[in-house]
Amino acid sequence: MSDEAAPKRRRWPRILAWIFGGLAILLVLVGAALTMVLRGSLPTTTGELTVEGLSGPVTIERDARGVPTFRAADRADIAFAMGFAHGQERFFQMDLMRRASAGELSALFGERAVDFDTSRRIHRSRHVAEQALKGFDAENRALVERYAAGVNAGLDALDADPFEYQLLRVDPRPWAPVDTALVILAMFYDLQDETASYDRRRAVMREALPRELAEWLMPRSNPRWDAPVDDGALPVVPMPGPEVADLRTMPQWEALRRGEQSGAPVRAGQVMMGSNSWAVAGARSRHGGALVANDMHLSLRVPIIWYRAALEWSDGEATRRVEGVSLPGGPVIVVGSNGRIAWAFTNSQIDSVDAIPLEVEGDTYRTPEGPRPFVTHTETIEVAGGDPVTMAHRWTIWGPVVDAEHGRPTAIRWVGHDPEALNLAVRDLEATEDLDAALAVAHRGGTPPQNFVVGDHTGRIGWTIFGYVPERFGPAPEEPPAPEEPPAPEAPAAPEGAEPAAPDEPAPAAAEPPEPPLWAGFDGRIPRGWAAGDVGWKGRLPAERYPRIVDPPGGLLWNGNGRMVGGEAYALLGETRYALGPRQKQIRDGLRARAAERKLTEDDMLAIQLDDRALFLTPWRVHLQELLAEAEPTPLRTRAKHHLDTGWTGRASVDSVGYRLVHDLRLAILRGVFGALTAPAVALHPDFAYAEPGAEGPLWEMVTTEPAHLLHPKHPSWADWQLALIDETLARLTEGAPDPVAALDQRTWGEANRMAVRHPMAGAVPVFGDALGAPRDPLPGDSHMPRVQSSGAGASERLAVSPGKEDQGYLLLPGGQSGHPLSPHFLDQYRAWAEGDRQPYRPGPTRQTLTLRPPG
């Protein structure tokens, strides 16, 4: 190379240094500019402000964690101040919730949200909310009006719009009283099956599969794991024999045998939106007070869903103090205590929605009163950066018409369509004095139907359903038939009077089994027509018929989204998707074991909430060990067995390879087995996916008894089928690794179960987006244990409190009070939540005081 090229070579490092230095300076300038913009939308936390809408002064005293105590002379001014704080710290979160309910996200996010908005508009939630608000009593309507005024005053008091709107380049829309009803409806959507998808999938299974097989694949009961508080058992459907279902011979599985079909999709492994709660009577606690514990499992978000608060005011009779967590968008404490009672919620999973196949005649559908025309509603969806989208959807007297299975239109009857199902009755708990009064509030509650666990200051505890429970009518319930003994899997008997089937011929069809038992009116899990008028809903279940459990003999109540009751109470409530019982059983057994040794304390409550023992998967570990011990060894199989033998901690611990293998291999077997069994349903309805929470019962029965007639046709044995699924999973876990065996050693549970939660606007902030999210920590816990945890869902709060002894309670949250990334309280409570470090339930000493005063 010539001497002239040498100086040019020496200049390149200087040029690159200038380029990278310039980029660094640019990033610093961008960061500084962004910080200046963001600071204008930080909340006001000290000093005095004069605001319209108050009748007297209000103080907002914040502790070191930013948790406010609101103090005022009356409750309406408290509502205004709550709105002010919510509006300043959480307005974007509130806005997303109201827009998600109403189907109005496209106005913020453009075309990418149109499909979502369309799915919500069919439910006409804005109309439902408007009608619900009209039904609020005068006091509660005035309260939400004052709250809305406070929200808007808080927004106006900011020096700049919340940072999200600056990034989106849109103005925030003022808050209106109806928006509080929309926020309540947002929880209906989060916690319920608004399109009756479970019912509709079950209908597909019953049409595509032999009836007895379908019933067995959607079990109501699993005796190995069920833990209802009343010990009420339900009938167990036996495994159908080969005369009912045989994958080797019957025509429904012909495509599977030919290899033309791989099987149906199976939805499994996701954390169910639910919760844990329990109560301990005063006689079983060390301090003599009732203990109430709660951790509500929801999608984890930034900012977090709940906003901690304590409220103090005078109602003319006494000074009231209520504390706990509020939901931004509403002026009430959702879960908490008032010194006389403490209460908690979990999702009930009762049957609050029905699918109704319609009998259509031209432009009309049949009703008990004769043919009726469909009512068509036209909606206009505003789209940011695009043209408005107009949609039309049809309604019936029962509800909206949704996509039809097999070409038959289906109407949806859902409690979320009833304005009566929405109210602010939860506010009545603020002044409730005892257990009986609290249960009465529950029966007029206006939330998604929830398990309501409550304890009072005398040490009494109780459970009931809080919210709208539909009262179904129909033919008188029949006694369910006694289950028969299942046939021996290897030598099934042919139906009486039938000729034995040749080995290469399908077995003769069994006689059609009787209809399933009719429960309280009719079995709402299965769609059926309402046109004849013999079945339907009367309205809301009368308060005196709500099931309840009061002062249980053992002094303990527990719930993990499983079935709470049997018998007549179960008949009234029905079910949509009760959680499989291991979590609820582990809570029950943990409470009983501790209570047998000593009087219980708040520390015992936290220990149970953090219980990540893998009791549910322990039998699966043994099963997989036996499979691999008898299998032909391969390098990955041998290493997997090593981890099952030596890397199993007995917990969903972050450093365990053994736990992750058992978790993933069980899911692979579950998906493979049920995909094959329900394959005919995909041929009938292409969008079908098997998604039964109770699938574990049939699955365990199959892998332990190995019925030949339910074996995948391409496999010679159950062991061969399971090993094939195991091999596929091990290959997936080590895909692309130069040394698969070494790679398997790195596949810990913590690698898979890592926190992955960011602010919705994180993607709009290049480079700095990660600062808008929680740390990517590996977290212990899983679905079928008290410590429920996945990468994006888990305990949205953990608390335990005794009414009147709040200073001994604790409350943990997976984030902070503020939705602002520059606030010191953006994520400051996260670390204690992640590590299970107990934090006080009550706000601490005051660090900042803001006084709001009316003019004059």
Side-chain angles (χ1 to χ4, degrees), residues 357-375 394 396 398 401 407-410 530-532:
L358 299 174
E359 299 178 29
V360 177
E361 302 167 359
D363 294 329
T364 67
Y365 63 99
R366 188 175 163 229
T367 76
E369 292 76 33
R372 284 200 183 204
F374 292 98
V375 175
R394 296 185 299 172
T396 68
W398 301 301
V401 180
R408 186 173 182 183
T410 299
W530 290 15

Side-chain angles (χ1 to χ4, degrees), residues 83 111 161 262 315 340 426 461 480 514 613 617 630 659 679 711 794 809:
E111 290 184 359
D161 288 341
S262 59
D315 64 1
R340 308 292 284 177
V426 68
I461 60 174
R613 290 175 300 150
L617 286 184
E630 298 172 3
Y659 182 84
L711 175 65

Side-chain angles (χ1 to χ4, degrees), residues 76-91:
D77 281 347
I78 291 283
F80 181 98
M82 289 181 75
F84 186 95
H86 286 169
Q88 289 214 323
E89 298 197 85
R90 299 289 192 88
F91 186 79

Side-chain angles (χ1 to χ4, degrees), residues 289-309:
L291 281 165
V292 173
N294 189 213
D295 47 302
M296 295 183 280
H297 307 146
L298 297 165
S299 296
L300 299 179
R301 306 168 184 174
V302 176
I304 58 176
I305 187 170
W306 306 114
Y307 185 89
R308 295 182 64 168

Side-chain angles (χ1 to χ4, degrees), residues 413-766:
R413 182 75 171 95
W414 177 41
V415 297
H417 297 146
D418 285 1
E420 183 189 351
L422 281 71
N423 61 47
L424 279 188
V426 68
R427 189 178 76 85
D428 295 345
L429 296 173
E430 295 175 349
T432 298
E433 295 285 329
D434 58 37
L435 174 66
D436 293 330
L439 296 177
V441 172
H443 300 156
R444 61 177 184 270
T447 64
Q450 298 289 291
N451 289 303
F452 178 63
V453 171
V454 61
D456 74 12
H457 63 101
T458 69
R460 299 179 65 204
I461 60 174
W463 163 89
T464 191
I465 296 294
F466 192 110
Y468 188 116
V469 176
E471 182 181 18
R472 290 176 170 82
F473 68 86
E478 299 174 357
E479 288 295 321
E484 300 176 0
E485 289 294 323
E490 295 300 328
E496 184 176 348
E499 293 292 329
D504 58 347
E505 294 178 356
E512 189 73 10
E515 287 288 326
L518 297 171
W519 300 96
F522 65 97
D523 181 5
R525 296 202 316 165
I526 307 299
R528 62 181 297 173
W530 290 15
D534 57 337
V535 297
W537 291 8
K538 293 180 181 179
R540 186 172 187 146
L541 189 71
E544 63 272 14
R545 297 188 65 198
Y546 272 62
R548 60 172 68 191
I549 299 172
V550 177
D551 300 325
L556 302 172
L557 288 168
W558 56 88
N559 177 260
N561 305 121
R563 180 173 58 87
M564 290 289 285
V565 290
E568 182 181 352
Y570 170 80
L572 285 169
L573 300 177
E575 66 172 283
T576 295
R577 46 176 176 173
Y578 286 130
L580 187 66
R583 174 162 50 94
Q584 186 160 309
K585 184 176 186 291
Q586 197 160 328
I587 292 168
R588 180 198 68 184
D589 294 349
L591 284 168
R592 286 178 172 175
R594 290 171 180 270
E597 297 175 353
R598 61 184 181 276
K599 299 284 188 176
L600 300 178
T601 69
E602 285 82 356
D603 285 340
D604 290 304
M605 306 300 99
L606 183 57
I608 293 173
Q609 288 172 333
L610 299 177
D611 181 6
D612 58 7
R613 290 175 300 150
L615 303 186
F616 171 68
L617 286 184
T618 295
W620 276 96
R621 177 210 179 199
V622 175
H623 175 73
L624 292 167
Q625 284 176 307
E626 292 172 350
L627 272 175
L628 291 171
E630 298 172 3
E632 181 179 346
T634 68
L636 280 176
R637 288 179 181 180
T638 300
R639 196 60 181 169
K641 184 166 187 306
H642 165 78
H643 284 296
L644 295 180
D645 292 341
T646 65
W648 172 261
T649 61
R651 297 179 176 273
S653 46
V654 297
D655 59 347
S656 176
V657 176
Y659 182 84
R660 182 174 180 183
L661 288 177
V662 176
H663 172 277
D664 286 11
L665 296 179
R666 172 190 169 268
L667 280 181
I669 293 171
L670 184 151
R671 289 172 176 145
V673 169
F674 289 108
L677 288 175
T678 60
V682 176
L684 187 66
H685 188 61
D687 293 333
F688 172 83
Y690 180 78
E692 286 295 317
E696 174 66 14
L699 179 63
W700 188 251
E701 188 174 1
M702 284 185 282
V703 300
T704 55
T705 65
E706 300 186 346
H709 60 292
L710 301 181
L711 175 65
H712 196 295
K714 78 172 187 179
H715 292 284
S717 69
W718 274 87
D720 183 78
W721 189 7
Q722 293 175 83
L723 287 168
L725 295 167
I726 288 170
D727 290 342
E728 290 174 8
T729 305
L730 296 177
R732 176 181 55 79
L733 288 171
T734 58
E735 186 176 5
D739 184 349
V741 172
L744 193 62
D745 295 343
Q746 307 303 313
R747 299 299 174 255
T748 63
W749 181 237
E751 181 191 53
N753 208 46
R754 188 178 293 273
M755 192 72 157
V757 178
R758 301 202 306 170
H759 190 284
M761 297 302 298
V765 187

